[in-house]
Amino acid sequence: MGAREQTPPLNARNRLVIGLILTVLSGAAALSHQLLWTQRMTDFLGSSVESTTRVFGCFFLGLSVGAGVISLFVARVERPWRAMAFAEFGVALFCLPILGLSQWSDWIWPWLGGELLTGWQGGMIKLGLSVAVVFLPAFAMGMVFPLLVKGVLCVSSDSEGSGGGWLYAANTAGGVVGLGLTAGYALYAVGVTGALWMALGLNLVVGVWALWIDRGVPGTEGAKAEVKADSVGLDLIKALGWQTILTALLSGALILGLEILAMELVMLVAPLSFHAPVAVLASFILTLAISASLVPAIGRYMTGMTSFLFAALILAGLATVVAPIALVRSAIESGGLRVSESLMGFTMSLSGLVLLSFGPGLLAAGAVFPCLLRVVPKQCDRSAAIGTLLAVNGLGGLFGAEWAYRTLVPWVGIYIGIGVVGLVYVLAACFWIEKGRGHLWVKRGAVVVAAGVVVFISAISLRDLPMVNPNVGLKVLDLKMGREGNLAVVEHENFGRGLLFSNQYLLGSTDVRYDQERQAHVPLLLHPEPKRICFLGLATGITPSAALQHSSVESIDIVELSRMVVEAADESFSEYNAGVTRSSIARTVIEDGRTFIASQPNRYDVVVGDLFLPWRAGVGRLYSVEHFQAIRASLRPGGLFCQWLPLYQFTSEHLELVLTTFQSVFSKSYLFEGKLDLGAPVLGLVGYHGAELDWSKIEMACDRERRVNRIKDPTVRHIEGLALLFRGELGEGGSAVNTLNNMELELQAGLDRIFDPTGKNYLVGERWLARTGELVAGGEAQLVESGLDSLKDFPQQGRQISLFREGIDRPESDRNSILKRVFAMIPPRLRGDRDGDWRTWAGPPLQMRWRPREGER
């Protein structure tokens, strides 16, 4: 008691200044936590739609419930600074399980198994873990702001609510600080766990500072005895009024719904990387913070806030509906974002695009909730009212996200969905027609006119905006939209029919279907008798369909994250993929590949990893030590894993990182190329579980499949053809590995994609040819050691054929001369294979001819 009396008391101004600082720090910690929790939980639960929804839902539900619960008691809290400190300490305490999540939860998926993982049991476990790990710290987080407001305002010192408005703006701005520090520095410097400790440290700093303030601030004397009847619960809600409660709910729902729709739209032109969504989110939050800070300033010069609130809703609706038009004209139709040389430059460029298109609408929409804080009746306890409104607003955010993901995007699409959000904003203004001053007929007329404008723009202009870049000459056959993004089935004379993801990346196309089939043939022939196969990734379905041609295969599991991809493969590519999604021996599982494979210990003979984009958000997990370890555990004795790498999307540094990571799990690793093409080389990393590459068994596998005669690709029908693709045993690698914690590949590949969108540093052409010799211990020596001296020259010949294939397309080249030299390098047994189809082989196109056998016409 005496110690507290020696501390000089803080006046109202000092409390506000300190409160602003603390709320910035608290907001920074909150958004940092949200980003890191999503990352850590995605690593564990998988990045499937349902898993992400559970994490997101638990976070917003925790915030809402925490704010709602504290609103019931905040009026009775005598020492709000002390209570706030304990809430911050609670956030830190409840975050501890997230720090060691992978250590204490590794056993769950192998114990559960694949069947239960994909059933209701898996969903319940994921929900339970999300609640246990995310809900509790979010609950404590939701209690902080109402307590801070009470500590600063001391219940009655701010009858107009300007202090509360400034605190809300500062808390929102703190979120931008947290995102910037975490995504721009902490993840690079200390990884996910280190960044979590930093966020947790911020919570502790805020808590300790709040305790220090508590020593110099007297308690709220008599708070328990003087609580008014309308200060808590239903009485408070009744005092606030249905217009205020419903507007708070809609404000949260519309902001989150608009954020998701805008994210989907911007990602049609922004590079697919971890950094782009963070930049968009930061732009949204920064605009909301600016808008929230303007409300207290404007409120000083206004006698009534209800008319201002009415105008903000109308303007939010009108500005929102024109945002897609502005974005399409400034980005999609003009060719996209300009190239940046720094992360800051990229962030500014993307933020400028977001602010140009969505900024005006966000400024108006962001004023709605701060206005509600200023229209709280004077008889209500302000901190309790703010807690209640935050709870309702957070619950609206949860509903708005689900509304956007599950209703607007799949039913009406992104553009019309944004129009619907604009229309609801305009209609919400009806709640405030009877409030405040002004002629009622003017307000009613404004709503009618604004609603008509929104509907007209939506029906006439938004409906015809392109989802696929109109400048590249693609014919769109089908278009699917969902939480995973935008997926279009397209046709083009250069690549045939393909799957275009988010207007940027082809998941596969029919013109390279034989190369895609070879990505299944090669690993299956490297196993003496593959029976149980798993493919991580479906795309067009062409690669897994090739396994149907192998005589020993008994079951095929195909794991695909996106239901839209499965539907597109079944509806638009069945004539190319042999209807693999409907095959009696194939099973398509819609689940995250890393999570599913972890649930399948000792099950597969061969696991094949698809060509995964290294820079796409979340995909770096599929090149991590933890994922490779789970795959090794899923292999039966003698089984093998083949991970295909799109080298035309890898720099030399990316490749070295993945190779070292792979080799840390599979000590003996082998390299095969998927095709003899330096223009778009594809590399297969092969590792065995308890076995090594055995060329005698490979030869027997080729002989077996050649007798069955289902496979027609001459390259894989003979051991000599596989020797052309063989590059050797991987030599000793570096020391750095890619883990779930350091996210090194995802972060670095994302930056390289931003700085080098044309891919001039990627491993194509002679750059890859030169790099090959540095990586392998020598394919020729490995073949000689296997007693296959006759094959020792073929790896080098395969590299030479790749070089010739690239030369064919040069204007000055003599095509016929090059093809003759290629023909001379093809092993005699391949050239003499009358049952092979040379349209399918791995090298440049050849017109093979044979003399007819006796009796043939």
Side-chain angles (χ1 to χ4, degrees):
M1 185 72 175
R4 185 166 61 244
E5 290 175 352
Q6 295 172 4
T7 304
L10 294 172
N11 58 34
R13 181 179 179 82
N14 290 338
R15 283 200 304 271
L16 179 59
V17 172
I18 293 176
L20 289 172
I21 297 173
L22 289 185
T23 195
V24 167
L25 295 177
S26 182
L31 262 293
S32 181
H33 277 306
Q34 181 188 358
L35 180 66
L36 296 169
W37 293 352
T38 302
Q39 185 69 37
R40 182 54 57 88
M41 293 300 291
T42 298
D43 289 340
F44 175 63
L45 298 176
S47 56
S48 67
V49 174
E50 295 303 321
S51 295
T52 308
T53 299
R54 291 185 186 96
V55 175
F56 191 81
C58 287
F59 178 76
F60 270 89
L61 186 62
L63 289 177
S64 178
V65 174
V69 169
I70 197 61
S71 70
L72 298 175
F73 305 101
V74 69
R76 298 178 174 85
V77 175
E78 294 183 336
R79 308 207 67 84
W81 290 106
R82 183 180 301 177
M84 173 191 163
F86 287 132
E88 289 283 358
F89 294 153
V91 175
L93 177 64
F94 291 134
C95 277
L96 293 178
I98 300 179
L99 289 169
L101 181 64
S102 59
Q103 285 73 34
W104 62 262
S105 60
D106 277 349
W107 59 273
I108 294 178
W109 304 137
W111 167 78
L112 188 65
E115 296 295 332
L116 297 182
L117 170 66
T118 55
W120 65 267
Q121 298 92 337
M124 291 301 296
I125 288 178
K126 289 180 178 180
L127 178 61
L129 286 169
S130 299
V131 170
V133 176
V134 175
F135 178 84
L136 291 177
F139 175 84
M141 195 179 290
M143 303 174 73
V144 171
F145 188 74
L147 289 167
L148 186 144
V149 169
K150 175 159 186 176
V152 170
L153 304 184
C154 290
V155 180
S156 60
S157 64
D158 182 39
S159 61
E160 294 299 323
S162 59
W166 286 116
L167 291 171
Y168 177 76
N171 190 254
T172 308
V176 182
V177 175
L179 284 177
L181 288 175
T182 302
Y185 170 74
L187 287 176
Y188 293 92
V190 293
V192 178
T193 301
L196 278 167
W197 277 112
M198 290 178 63
L200 188 149
L202 272 180
N203 295 125
L204 296 179
V205 168
V206 173
V208 170
W209 198 346
L211 282 180
W212 176 81
I213 296 171
D214 178 69
R215 298 178 60 194
V217 175
T220 313
E221 294 87 352
K224 288 184 179 180
E226 297 178 4
V227 176
K228 301 170 186 174
D230 59 0
S231 292
V232 297
L234 295 177
D235 292 327
L236 176 59
I237 293 176
K238 183 178 180 180
L240 289 172
W242 67 266
Q243 296 98 332
T244 302
I245 296 298
L246 191 53
T247 304
L249 183 74
L250 283 177
S251 176
L254 295 174
I255 286 289
L256 263 293
L258 182 61
E259 178 185 312
I260 287 167
L261 292 166
M263 188 81 72
E264 295 262 351
L265 181 55
V266 173
M267 293 310 294
L268 295 177
V269 295
L272 300 177
S273 68
F274 167 81
H275 310 86
V278 174
V280 175
L281 179 60
S283 302
F284 259 69
I285 296 175
L286 177 62
T287 309
L288 295 176
I290 294 173
S291 179
S293 66
L294 292 176
V295 171
I298 295 174
R300 294 180 177 180
Y301 306 101
M302 298 189 66
T303 57
M305 289 301 296
T306 54
S307 295
F308 182 77
L309 178 57
F310 174 86
L313 289 167
I314 294 289
L315 291 174
L318 292 173
T320 294
V321 76
V322 300
I325 302 174
L327 186 137
V328 168
R329 289 182 176 175
S330 60
I332 295 181
E333 292 181 350
S334 63
L337 298 172
R338 62 180 177 85
V339 177
S340 301
E341 297 181 356
S342 67
L343 181 57
M344 179 60 70
F346 165 77
T347 303
M348 295 296 291
S349 176
L350 185 55
S351 298
L353 176 65
V354 174
L355 295 177
L356 175 66
S357 52
F358 289 95
L362 286 174
L363 282 174
V368 172
F369 189 78
C371 283
L372 295 177
L373 301 183
R374 295 184 62 85
V375 299
V376 172
K378 294 182 179 181
Q379 69 269 21
C380 295
D381 180 274
R382 183 160 298 279
S383 53
I386 288 177
T388 300
L389 292 177
L390 283 174
V392 174
N393 190 253
L395 194 62
L398 174 59
F399 290 151
E402 292 302 300
W403 175 53
Y405 276 134
R406 299 186 185 277
T407 304
L408 292 181
V409 172
W411 287 12
V412 299
I414 298 174
Y415 295 125
I416 301 299
I418 292 174
V420 171
V421 170
L423 180 61
V424 176
Y425 265 120
V426 170
L427 296 179
C430 294
F431 303 156
W432 301 94
I433 289 178
E434 303 295 334
K435 296 284 185 176
R437 300 177 181 178
H439 297 288
L440 297 184
W441 66 267
V442 174
K443 290 186 176 181
R444 291 169 184 169
V447 170
V448 172
V449 171
V453 170
V454 170
V455 171
F456 178 81
I457 293 176
S458 299
I460 302 301
S461 300
L462 298 188
R463 186 182 60 182
D464 296 327
L465 292 178
M467 292 297 297
V468 175
N469 192 334
N471 301 318
V472 294
L474 295 175
K475 180 181 179 182
V476 180
L477 304 180
D478 188 26
L479 183 64
K480 299 179 185 295
M481 289 172 284
R483 180 163 189 156
E484 306 97 315
N486 171 284
L487 186 71
V489 179
V490 297
E491 279 188 351
H492 194 277
E493 59 182 6
N494 291 341
F495 56 75
R497 183 177 301 179
L499 275 179
L500 182 66
F501 178 77
S502 282
N503 194 33
Q504 298 185 57
Y505 173 65
L506 275 178
L507 296 178
S509 65
T510 56
D511 273 12
V512 293
R513 60 185 180 275
Y514 302 127
D515 294 331
Q516 295 173 39
E517 288 182 352
R518 200 174 304 111
Q519 289 167 209
H521 291 320
V522 171
L524 292 181
L525 289 167
L526 299 183
H527 190 283
E529 194 176 7
K531 295 182 178 179
R532 296 180 178 178
I533 318 299
C534 181
F535 289 91
L536 302 179
L538 173 67
T540 59
I542 293 173
T543 296
S545 72
L548 299 174
Q549 302 172 28
H550 289 253
S551 59
S552 62
V553 172
E554 296 177 356
S555 68
I556 304 171
D557 284 346
I558 309 167
V559 189
E560 174 53 53
L561 183 64
S562 171
R563 188 178 299 275
M564 294 192 304
V565 171
V566 176
E567 294 172 354
D570 182 54
E571 297 168 1
S572 302
F573 293 90
S574 59
E575 60 183 296
Y576 302 99
N577 62 31
V580 67
T581 56
R582 306 175 189 178
S583 172
S584 59
I585 67 169
R587 176 179 63 150
T588 303
V589 180
I590 300 175
E591 181 57 82
D592 178 81
R594 204 187 84 78
T595 304
F596 181 81
I597 207 70
S599 70
Q600 303 289 301
N602 194 36
R603 177 172 176 82
Y604 298 113
D605 297 309
V606 176
V607 176
V608 180
D610 202 359
L611 300 169
F612 301 124
L613 278 174
W615 60 75
R616 183 180 169 190
V619 172
R621 303 158 51 253
L622 300 179
Y623 294 117
S624 67
V625 167
E626 295 86 348
H627 180 54
F628 291 158
Q629 289 172 339
I631 289 177
R632 186 181 60 184
S634 74
L635 295 173
R636 301 163 76 181
L640 70 92
F641 169 49
C642 178
Q643 176 62 61
W644 291 102
L645 306 179
L647 295 178
Y648 48 89
Q649 296 162 348
F650 276 70
T651 65
S652 184
E653 292 75 18
H654 304 158
L655 179 61
E656 182 176 352
L657 178 62
V658 173
L659 294 180
T660 304
T661 305
F662 190 88
Q663 201 172 33
S664 70
V665 177
F666 298 94
S667 57
K668 276 190 172 293
S669 306
Y670 308 91
L671 304 183
F672 284 81
E673 291 204 53
K675 53 184 176 179
L676 304 176
D677 181 4
L678 292 180
V682 172
L683 182 67
L685 305 183
V686 177
Y688 287 84
H689 178 45
E692 297 182 11
L693 192 67
D694 188 333
W695 284 93
S696 62
K697 293 181 179 178
I698 294 173
E699 186 169 25
M700 288 189 291
C702 291
D703 292 342
R704 179 189 66 229
E705 297 305 328
R706 201 166 54 251
R707 288 192 299 270
V708 177
N709 203 27
R710 296 177 187 167
I711 301 172
K712 296 301 181 181
D713 184 350
T715 324
V716 297
R717 285 167 59 86
H718 303 270
I719 189 174
E720 293 88 348
L722 289 171
L724 289 174
L725 300 175
F726 183 53
R727 294 295 168 262
E729 183 179 338
L730 183 62
E732 187 173 345
S735 57
V737 296
N738 183 51
T739 69
L740 296 179
N741 183 60
N742 64 32
M743 297 175 60
E744 186 164 345
L745 179 64
E746 182 175 330
L747 293 175
Q748 190 56 51
L751 287 179
D752 289 335
R753 184 62 176 173
I754 291 169
F755 304 152
D756 180 24
T758 60
K760 64 179 183 293
N761 293 320
Y762 292 155
L763 290 169
V764 296
E766 296 190 22
R767 185 184 297 111
W768 164 237
L769 195 66
R771 190 75 177 96
T772 308
E774 302 171 4
L775 294 174
V776 296
E780 297 83 354
Q782 210 275 342
L783 288 166
V784 171
E785 292 174 3
S786 302
L788 298 169
D789 293 21
S790 61
L791 303 179
K792 65 183 179 62
D793 295 329
F794 291 152
Q796 179 60 35
Q797 290 179 5
R799 288 194 287 269
Q800 193 66 33
I801 291 173
S802 298
L803 188 59
F804 285 154
R805 178 170 179 170
E806 186 182 41
I808 289 175
D809 297 326
R810 295 175 181 171
E812 68 276 9
S813 65
D814 184 342
R815 180 180 179 87
N816 290 333
S817 174
I818 291 177
L819 289 177
K820 287 178 181 179
R821 297 174 69 181
V822 169
F823 181 81
M825 291 183 179
I826 297 175
R829 281 220 299 171
L830 268 69
R831 293 202 305 261
D833 187 348
R834 302 171 59 83
D835 293 320
D837 183 350
W838 284 90
R839 295 174 303 174
T840 68
W841 99 292
L846 296 170
Q847 296 296 325
M848 303 296 285
R849 295 288 186 269
W850 294 269
R851 293 179 180 176
R853 294 174 180 172
E854 184 178 352
E856 291 183 342
R857 300 292 183 188

